[in-house]
Amino acid sequence: MNSGIYHIKNLVTGVVYYGRTIDWVSRKRRHLSDLRSNRHCNPRLQNSWNSRSEDDFEFSLVWPAEPDCLEELES
């Protein structure tokens, strides 16, 4: 399954960004592209990324789920 709830975790501070996706591989690629280009839509995540190394972050699909359940699960 490639859809579900994912997180991006700062392994140094423990701060976690949660999101939902129907295509985890594509979504992770987009997050990385935006963060590396300094144009992520979440300024807190971007600032955290800018102050650390890429190795300090963990990208994980933490709760695989069917697409029709995602909004409720993310809440």
Side-chain angles (χ1 to χ4, degrees), residues 25-55:
V25 174
S26 176
R27 187 66 181 121
K28 179 181 176 183
R29 190 178 317 123
R30 180 59 189 233
H31 274 297
L32 284 168
S33 174
D34 288 350
L35 288 164
R36 290 170 177 158
S37 301
N38 198 33
R39 57 185 165 93
H40 197 276
C41 63
N42 184 301
R44 291 181 70 193
L45 178 57
Q46 185 68 62
N47 288 337
S48 180
W49 179 270
N50 291 347
S51 68
R52 304 284 177 194
S53 99
E54 189 169 322
D55 292 335

Side-chain angles (χ1 to χ4, degrees), residues 2-70:
N2 197 30
S3 62
I5 304 300
Y6 65 90
H7 79 209
I8 303 170
K9 183 176 184 179
N10 181 320
L11 299 171
V12 175
T13 65
V15 175
V16 179
Y17 171 96
Y18 286 97
R20 67 179 185 253
T21 185
I22 59 170
D23 183 354
W24 168 236
V25 174
S26 176
R27 187 66 181 121
K28 179 181 176 183
R29 190 178 317 123
R30 180 59 189 233
H31 274 297
L32 284 168
S33 174
D34 288 350
L35 288 164
R36 290 170 177 158
S37 301
N38 198 33
R39 57 185 165 93
H40 197 276
C41 63
N42 184 301
R44 291 181 70 193
L45 178 57
Q46 185 68 62
N47 288 337
S48 180
W49 179 270
N50 291 347
S51 68
R52 304 284 177 194
S53 99
E54 189 169 322
D55 292 335
D56 292 333
F57 291 84
E58 173 186 79
F59 291 73
S60 297
L61 185 64
V62 294
W63 194 340
E66 294 298 324
D68 58 339
C69 302
L70 295 177

